[in-house]
Amino acid sequence: MDFSQFGSQSRCSAFLANIDERQTATVRFLGQSFTLPPWSVSILPDCRNTVFNTAKVAAQTHIKNAEYVLPLFSNSSVPARFIVQNEDSPQSTSWMTAKEPISLWSEEKFTVKGILEHLNVTKDESDYLWYFTRIYVSDDDIAFWEKNKVSPAVSIDSMRDVLRVFINGQLTGQLTPACVVFVAKSWVVQPVQFQKGYNELVLLSQTVGLQNYGAFLERDGAGFKGQIKLTGFKNGDTDLSNLSWTYQVGLKGEFLKVHTTGDTEKFEWFDLAVDAIPSTFTWYKTFFDAPAGDDPVALDLGSMGKGQAWVNGHHIGRYWTLVSPKDGCGSCDYRGAYNSGKCRTNCGNPTQTWYHVPRAWLKASNNLLVVFEETGGNPFEISVKLRSAKVICAQVSESHYPPLRKWSQTDLTGWNISRNDMTPEMHLKCQDGHIMSSVEFASYGTPKGSCQKFSRGNCHASNSSSVVTEACQGKNSCNIAISNALFGDPCRGVIKTLAVEARCISSSNSGYSHY
């Protein structure tokens, strides 16, 4: 409770909490009784009236659909064209590609002895930090490997985020959080293949996010956290922290800003063949036209692996199409403390494939798309999609509280909240530029299920559909009172609930002229 005294006037506000996960609680506070659902908090802005309870949220649910779109072709001389329809799905017919060099190219590179901490070197200017050194392999080493049937390996006792290992410019292995779990005194071993003579060993450290909470977060850092050594040689293990390393920050493509201009003079681009083998550490670019209309635009990057993408120089995000475990999803219950495995959804699917592109970043035609791919993906299957909420649903019962808009500003600031109309309401709204074309389901009584799976219960008002249709059809938004006065009382003595599912369409494609 918060209590403030201003001269002769006093103001009071309170939060009432029930931390029991199963039982409803009735409490007395300042002479009044309040019923609190399990694991919920009630807000009393005047210490008398409840205006909100966390267990009685009546927010509308949107079911968003993604639709393939065709480009707006123009007479531009730009050869690359993106997203044309074939028998299966829209695809790009023209991409260009360029390889990111696995070599020293930066004038700001430097050489020191030992392994430096990632963020202290990059200053968070890039996700990428390269470590270069040379390893000499003698005839005796090769004979030792053949005789004992062993292979050399890079061993690491602790690594933060992602590590990729290159030998003589070729990717040998990669260690990621998905497959590397470090425990005390454990080692991760990455086998490597060397040739006779001098070999270039390159380690690429990548950040995939920084700690932003908890004690001593400033000490979290990135990159190598423990000892690194080279094992399997005839003369024993080599502590790599005793070697001289040359450091290089970032990518050459980043340095040349190819994601902003697609410059072909400073970076060597080639046409990409449709049957090209997916390649690692590769830049791709193409052009596309903005789809018509006002619906939100997204890029479907489900065919790619891990990397980053830009549209007209704007960074639309880092993508990583990791697939979540197939098990772990189940019924969701808000009650109880939060944990990372609670209320999981979409088990067995990629964590994210759609990436929003604000229309403010798009031109009518010739929009530059640049993708940097780290692990190998197929850019020909990248597609543009329009996203819109075609289905909206809501459930509100008589036990819910009236909408906050019913409390006038004068009441709230003057702390004199009235009870003129405590009737709960359902508020439905299509996205801007859309209207409700039909009511797919409506039941006032004891409906069952959830959005797109609603069904009537034992108690149902026969006029449910007609009342909701009259209030909402052809409109962008509508409010419906949860009241027997509107629907009648189909079952006396029972708390009634209104469940509605409506379909939205673009107002430009409808026969309605009003909202």
Side-chain angles (χ1 to χ4, degrees), residues 425-482:
E425 285 185 358
M426 175 181 289
H427 178 67
L428 295 173
K429 187 180 189 310
C430 296
Q431 68 185 52
D432 292 342
H434 291 69
I435 60 173
M436 283 169 266
S437 60
S438 62
V439 175
E440 304 293 310
F441 178 89
S443 179
Y444 178 75
T446 56
K448 301 177 181 178
S450 57
C451 189
Q452 294 190 307
K453 295 180 181 179
F454 284 131
S455 63
R456 294 180 182 179
N458 296 327
C459 171
H460 169 73
S462 59
N463 64 342
S464 300
S465 181
S466 60
V467 170
V468 176
T469 298
E470 182 178 355
C472 301
Q473 188 167 352
K475 299 179 180 179
N476 173 258
S477 64
C478 61
N479 299 317
I480 309 164
I482 313 302

Side-chain angles (χ1 to χ4, degrees), residues 275-353:
D275 57 354
I277 298 174
S279 178
T280 59
F281 285 82
T282 304
W283 293 86
Y284 299 103
K285 73 172 182 177
T286 191
F287 292 83
F288 68 99
D289 296 341
D294 298 321
D295 286 341
V297 177
L299 286 177
D300 187 342
L301 301 177
S303 64
M304 306 303 287
K306 180 182 181 299
Q308 302 183 54
W310 297 261
V311 172
N312 292 332
H314 298 282
H315 192 225
I316 66 170
R318 297 168 175 84
Y319 64 85
W320 196 357
T321 53
L322 288 178
V323 175
S324 63
K326 294 183 179 180
D327 52 4
C329 293
S331 59
C332 181
D333 191 338
Y334 74 90
R335 295 174 297 183
Y338 171 79
N339 62 73
S340 61
K342 189 173 185 178
C343 295
R344 288 176 173 171
T345 59
N346 296 320
C347 287
N349 294 316
T351 51
Q352 183 177 354
T353 57

Side-chain angles (χ1 to χ4, degrees), residues 352-367:
Q352 183 177 354
T353 57
W354 297 347
Y355 291 80
H356 177 64
V357 182
R359 281 190 175 270
W361 294 356
L362 296 176
K363 303 177 292 184
S365 60
N366 301 334
N367 295 283

Side-chain angles (χ1 to χ4, degrees), residues 25 155 184 225 243 343 367 403 418 423 432 456:
S155 296
K225 308 290 287 183
L243 300 182
C343 295
N367 295 283
S418 63
T423 304
D432 292 342
R456 294 180 182 179

